[in-house]
Amino acid sequence: MVSRRSVLICGLAGGPAIATAGAMGGMWATAGRRTEEQAAFVNKLAIPPLARSHHDRQGRRVFDLRAAPGTMQFRPGAPTATWGINGPFLGPTLRARRDETVVVNVRNDLPEATTMHWHGMHVPPMMDGGPHQLIPPGTTWSPTWTIRQPAATLWYHPHPHGRTARHVHHGLAGMFIIDETEALALPRRYGEDDIPVIIQDKRLNADNQLNEEIPTVGGMGVLGDLITVNGTVSPYVDVRFKRVRLRILNASNSRFYNIGMADDRSFALVATDGGLLSAPLDTNRVQLSPGERAEIVVCLRPGERLPVVSYRSDLGIHIGDQRFAGGSDVLEILELRAATDLNPSPPLPTTLGERPELDASSPAAVRTFELANFAINGRLMDPGRIDIGVAKDTVEVWEVANLDEMPHNFHVHDVQFLILSVDGGPPRPELSGWKDTFYVKPRTRARIAMRFRDYTDPRSPYMYHCHILWHEDQGMMGQFVVLGPGEKPGTLPQAHAHG
C-alpha cells in the first residue's frame, strides 16, 4: 500500500511507491495490483513540442495546425489507429502572451468533419470552435483573436455535436499556455522544470484498437484502464532542478484524477483553470474532473524517484457506483527522477497573481441550471435553440445543481468564473481562483459568478455543459449568447449534419 506519511514541501522522500490500476476495462479497481502495461515506469515521457509560429504583416502570431490520422504503439503487437494534430497523437503546445493577437490555421485532414475549441480562452463566439464552427474534411478554419486574460494553462480539443468524446478519445487535444511575466520566480523552462502533463485513459480491444463501446453500467461512457501521459504509457521524466512545475490537464473523457505524491508529501498548488492563485497553497491532493487543470510545484531531493499517483477520488456517490465510475481506482501516473546533482531553484513567491474579485452582490440575473437525465433544466441540447441571452458588461450568478445520482461537472465557454458557495458554505481553498470547469457532486448545489465582456453576437452562441464527454454528447449542454444594448437573441441554423 502507499505510505501516507506526511512530509514538508521540501522534506525527505520516503515510503514505498505501490499503486493500483483499474481492472476490467476501468470499471473497478483491484487493490494492490497493476495492469501489465503499468508494471513499472519504463518509458521516457514524451514532451509535446512547442508549436512553431511566425508573425504576419499585421503583427499577428500565426500557428498552423493539421488534424490527421496516425498510429501509436501503446502496447506490444499491432499499433493503435489514432488521430493527432501535427503528429500521430495529441498536438503541439501553443504559447502566447497577454495582449498578443493570434491566428490559428486549423487544417482538417480527417475522414470526417471536426471543430477546434479553445477551452478556457476568452474569444469571440465565432472563434470559439464550438459545434457551429465545423471544419469539413480537406478545409482550413482560421480563427483570430486578441488574448485578453491573465497567464494560464488552457487547452484545445474538438467540439463536434454528438461526437466530442470520440474525437478526444482518438487523441485530438493539446495545451495552450498564456505566459506570465518573467519577473515572477516560477519554474519556466519548458520540458525541463516546467512539464506539461496531459493525462488520458485509453481502452483498447484485444487487437489494440480503441474500444468505444459504452458499458451498460456506470453511466460514464468510455472509462479506460490504460493511463497515458502526453501519449506515453508508464512514463518517467528526468528532472535536473530542485523544484519542478507540473501543468496537469485532465484530458480524459470521463475519468477523475486525485493527484498526490506516492509518499504523501505536500506540494504547492500555484494555479487552476483560469490562472495563478493569489498565493501558493500547500496541499497533498488536487482532484481534477475532466477538463480541469492545475499547476503544482514539487520540491525534490537529489537522486530520488518520486511517483505521482492518482488516489481514490471523492465523487460523493454510493460506494458501489463509485467503483463503476472509476472513483475507487488508484493509478500510477508519472515518475519524477531527480538527478544526483540538482540545479538550485529560487523559493516560490509568496504572492502570485491578483486576488480574484467580482462584485456579485447585485447580479443582473440569478439563473438555475439543474443537471439530470443527461439534460439541463429538463432540455436536451438543440443546436438550433438559444437557451439564454445575457447582457454584455454585467455580472450574473448561476446556481448549478446536480439532481442525479451520478457524477457531473460544469463548464462554461468564454468566461472564467468564481465559485461563491457549495451547498451554502464557502468553497474549498483549492477552488478559490478563477475556474471554467468544476465538479458538482450528486445532490449538491453550487453558486458561481461571472462577468460577460468584450464580445457580443446575438446569432453566435457559446456553450455550457457537463464536461464528462459522453454526457455532453447525450445532450447535457445548452447555448447562450452575449447581447449588446437593445439586442435580442437571433435565430440559429438547424443542427449541422455530421460529416
Side-chain angles (χ1 to χ4, degrees), residues 19-39:
T20 64
M24 300 295 289
M27 292 166 58
W28 57 78
T30 304
R33 298 178 62 184
R34 310 173 186 172
T35 59
E36 179 181 353
E37 298 81 20
Q38 296 166 284

mmCIF file of all heavy atoms in Angstrom, residues 19-39:
data_model
loop_
_atom_site.group_PDB
_atom_site.id
_atom_site.type_symbol
_atom_site.label_atom_id
_atom_site.label_comp_id
_atom_site.label_asym_id
_atom_site.label_seq_id
_atom_site.Cartn_x
_atom_site.Cartn_y
_atom_site.Cartn_z
ATOM 1 N N ALA A 19 1.046 1.426 -6.379
ATOM 2 C CA ALA A 19 -0.271 1.977 -6.689
ATOM 3 C C ALA A 19 -1.058 0.952 -7.468
ATOM 4 O O ALA A 19 -0.497 0.063 -8.097
ATOM 5 C CB ALA A 19 -0.157 3.270 -7.477
ATOM 6 N N THR A 20 -2.357 1.070 -7.420
ATOM 7 C CA THR A 20 -3.201 0.137 -8.148
ATOM 8 C C THR A 20 -3.652 0.740 -9.444
ATOM 9 O O THR A 20 -3.731 1.949 -9.589
ATOM 10 C CB THR A 20 -4.440 -0.245 -7.329
ATOM 11 O OG1 THR A 20 -5.236 0.909 -7.138
ATOM 12 C CG2 THR A 20 -4.054 -0.840 -5.997
ATOM 13 N N ALA A 21 -3.968 -0.094 -10.387
ATOM 14 C CA ALA A 21 -4.530 0.359 -11.654
ATOM 15 C C ALA A 21 -5.906 -0.242 -11.810
ATOM 16 O O ALA A 21 -6.207 -1.297 -11.259
ATOM 17 C CB ALA A 21 -3.634 -0.060 -12.823
ATOM 18 N N GLY A 22 -6.749 0.433 -12.586
ATOM 19 C CA GLY A 22 -8.104 -0.074 -12.811
ATOM 20 C C GLY A 22 -8.067 -1.387 -13.560
ATOM 21 O O GLY A 22 -7.170 -1.665 -14.354
ATOM 22 N N ALA A 23 -9.024 -2.228 -13.303
ATOM 23 C CA ALA A 23 -9.127 -3.515 -13.979
ATOM 24 C C ALA A 23 -10.475 -3.614 -14.668
ATOM 25 O O ALA A 23 -11.327 -2.754 -14.520
ATOM 26 C CB ALA A 23 -8.960 -4.647 -12.963
ATOM 27 N N MET A 24 -10.653 -4.686 -15.440
ATOM 28 C CA MET A 24 -11.934 -4.937 -16.117
ATOM 29 C C MET A 24 -12.373 -3.727 -16.923
ATOM 30 O O MET A 24 -13.484 -3.225 -16.796
ATOM 31 C CB MET A 24 -12.998 -5.323 -15.096
ATOM 32 C CG MET A 24 -12.653 -6.581 -14.301
ATOM 33 S SD MET A 24 -12.570 -8.055 -15.322
ATOM 34 C CE MET A 24 -14.289 -8.283 -15.713
ATOM 35 N N GLY A 25 -11.447 -3.203 -17.750
ATOM 36 C CA GLY A 25 -11.808 -2.077 -18.606
ATOM 37 C C GLY A 25 -12.065 -0.810 -17.837
ATOM 38 O O GLY A 25 -12.765 0.071 -18.287
ATOM 39 N N GLY A 26 -11.443 -0.661 -16.645
ATOM 40 C CA GLY A 26 -11.601 0.558 -15.874
ATOM 41 C C GLY A 26 -12.901 0.602 -15.099
ATOM 42 O O GLY A 26 -13.247 1.622 -14.541
ATOM 43 N N MET A 27 -13.638 -0.520 -15.013
ATOM 44 C CA MET A 27 -14.932 -0.483 -14.338
ATOM 45 C C MET A 27 -14.785 -0.570 -12.833
ATOM 46 O O MET A 27 -15.605 -0.072 -12.094
ATOM 47 C CB MET A 27 -15.818 -1.614 -14.857
ATOM 48 C CG MET A 27 -16.228 -1.418 -16.315
ATOM 49 S SD MET A 27 -16.926 -2.874 -17.089
ATOM 50 C CE MET A 27 -18.314 -3.203 -16.018
ATOM 51 N N TRP A 28 -13.749 -1.225 -12.356
ATOM 52 C CA TRP A 28 -13.468 -1.200 -10.927
ATOM 53 C C TRP A 28 -11.999 -1.489 -10.715
ATOM 54 O O TRP A 28 -11.286 -1.920 -11.599
ATOM 55 C CB TRP A 28 -14.344 -2.184 -10.145
ATOM 56 C CG TRP A 28 -14.252 -3.604 -10.578
ATOM 57 C CD1 TRP A 28 -13.277 -4.503 -10.294
ATOM 58 C CD2 TRP A 28 -15.193 -4.290 -11.397
ATOM 59 N NE1 TRP A 28 -13.540 -5.697 -10.874
ATOM 60 C CE2 TRP A 28 -14.707 -5.618 -11.540
ATOM 61 C CE3 TRP A 28 -16.403 -3.934 -11.999
ATOM 62 C CZ2 TRP A 28 -15.386 -6.563 -12.285
ATOM 63 C CZ3 TRP A 28 -17.071 -4.893 -12.725
ATOM 64 C CH2 TRP A 28 -16.566 -6.182 -12.861
ATOM 65 N N ALA A 29 -11.511 -1.261 -9.491
ATOM 66 C CA ALA A 29 -10.098 -1.425 -9.192
ATOM 67 C C ALA A 29 -9.842 -2.756 -8.509
ATOM 68 O O ALA A 29 -10.708 -3.311 -7.838
ATOM 69 C CB ALA A 29 -9.613 -0.289 -8.298
ATOM 70 N N THR A 30 -8.645 -3.287 -8.674
ATOM 71 C CA THR A 30 -8.187 -4.450 -7.934
ATOM 72 C C THR A 30 -7.065 -3.983 -7.036
ATOM 73 O O THR A 30 -5.958 -3.699 -7.502
ATOM 74 C CB THR A 30 -7.689 -5.546 -8.902
ATOM 75 O OG1 THR A 30 -8.743 -5.842 -9.813
ATOM 76 C CG2 THR A 30 -7.304 -6.792 -8.140
ATOM 77 N N ALA A 31 -7.333 -3.868 -5.755
ATOM 78 C CA ALA A 31 -6.398 -3.254 -4.825
ATOM 79 C C ALA A 31 -5.076 -4.003 -4.818
ATOM 80 O O ALA A 31 -5.024 -5.230 -4.777
ATOM 81 C CB ALA A 31 -6.993 -3.230 -3.420
ATOM 82 N N GLY A 32 -3.978 -3.234 -4.853
ATOM 83 C CA GLY A 32 -2.652 -3.794 -4.724
ATOM 84 C C GLY A 32 -2.091 -4.401 -5.991
ATOM 85 O O GLY A 32 -1.014 -4.978 -5.970
ATOM 86 N N ARG A 33 -2.811 -4.341 -7.124
ATOM 87 C CA ARG A 33 -2.334 -4.929 -8.363
ATOM 88 C C ARG A 33 -2.233 -3.871 -9.444
ATOM 89 O O ARG A 33 -2.846 -2.821 -9.388
ATOM 90 C CB ARG A 33 -3.278 -6.041 -8.819
ATOM 91 C CG ARG A 33 -3.380 -7.197 -7.834
ATOM 92 C CD ARG A 33 -4.355 -8.232 -8.321
ATOM 93 N NE ARG A 33 -3.914 -8.816 -9.590
ATOM 94 C CZ ARG A 33 -4.651 -9.693 -10.262
ATOM 95 N NH1 ARG A 33 -5.829 -10.054 -9.810
ATOM 96 N NH2 ARG A 33 -4.208 -10.176 -11.398
ATOM 97 N N ARG A 34 -1.458 -4.182 -10.466
ATOM 98 C CA ARG A 34 -1.287 -3.268 -11.589
ATOM 99 C C ARG A 34 -1.555 -4.017 -12.876
ATOM 100 O O ARG A 34 -1.416 -5.222 -12.949
ATOM 101 C CB ARG A 34 0.138 -2.728 -11.658
ATOM 102 C CG ARG A 34 0.691 -2.161 -10.366
ATOM 103 C CD ARG A 34 2.160 -1.851 -10.594
ATOM 104 N NE ARG A 34 2.793 -1.429 -9.349
ATOM 105 C CZ ARG A 34 4.090 -1.256 -9.222
ATOM 106 N NH1 ARG A 34 4.875 -1.464 -10.245
ATOM 107 N NH2 ARG A 34 4.608 -0.865 -8.088
ATOM 108 N N THR A 35 -1.936 -3.280 -13.914
ATOM 109 C CA THR A 35 -2.012 -3.903 -15.223
ATOM 110 C C THR A 35 -0.607 -4.111 -15.754
ATOM 111 O O THR A 35 0.353 -3.448 -15.335
ATOM 112 C CB THR A 35 -2.806 -3.027 -16.199
ATOM 113 O OG1 THR A 35 -2.165 -1.765 -16.300
ATOM 114 C CG2 THR A 35 -4.238 -2.846 -15.734
ATOM 115 N N GLU A 36 -0.470 -5.023 -16.714
ATOM 116 C CA GLU A 36 0.848 -5.355 -17.239
ATOM 117 C C GLU A 36 1.548 -4.138 -17.829
ATOM 118 O O GLU A 36 2.752 -3.957 -17.676
ATOM 119 C CB GLU A 36 0.703 -6.445 -18.298
ATOM 120 C CG GLU A 36 2.021 -6.864 -18.944
ATOM 121 C CD GLU A 36 1.826 -7.920 -20.003
ATOM 122 O OE1 GLU A 36 0.689 -8.419 -20.141
ATOM 123 O OE2 GLU A 36 2.803 -8.239 -20.699
ATOM 124 N N GLU A 37 0.772 -3.271 -18.501
ATOM 125 C CA GLU A 37 1.375 -2.128 -19.171
ATOM 126 C C GLU A 37 1.951 -1.122 -18.174
ATOM 127 O O GLU A 37 2.781 -0.297 -18.521
ATOM 128 C CB GLU A 37 0.336 -1.412 -20.034
ATOM 129 C CG GLU A 37 -0.238 -2.266 -21.153
ATOM 130 C CD GLU A 37 -1.332 -3.175 -20.646
ATOM 131 O OE1 GLU A 37 -1.894 -2.899 -19.580
ATOM 132 O OE2 GLU A 37 -1.607 -4.180 -21.309
ATOM 133 N N GLN A 38 1.498 -1.184 -16.914
ATOM 134 C CA GLN A 38 1.913 -0.191 -15.942
ATOM 135 C C GLN A 38 2.695 -0.823 -14.792
ATOM 136 O O GLN A 38 2.644 -0.372 -13.669
ATOM 137 C CB GLN A 38 0.678 0.567 -15.437
ATOM 138 C CG GLN A 38 0.023 1.348 -16.564
ATOM 139 C CD GLN A 38 -1.355 1.833 -16.195
ATOM 140 O OE1 GLN A 38 -2.317 1.079 -16.170
ATOM 141 N NE2 GLN A 38 -1.463 3.105 -15.912
ATOM 142 N N ALA A 39 3.407 -1.912 -15.086
ATOM 143 C CA ALA A 39 4.129 -2.631 -14.049
ATOM 144 C C ALA A 39 5.326 -1.849 -13.542
ATOM 145 O O ALA A 39 5.843 -2.112 -12.464
ATOM 146 C CB ALA A 39 4.586 -3.988 -14.579
#
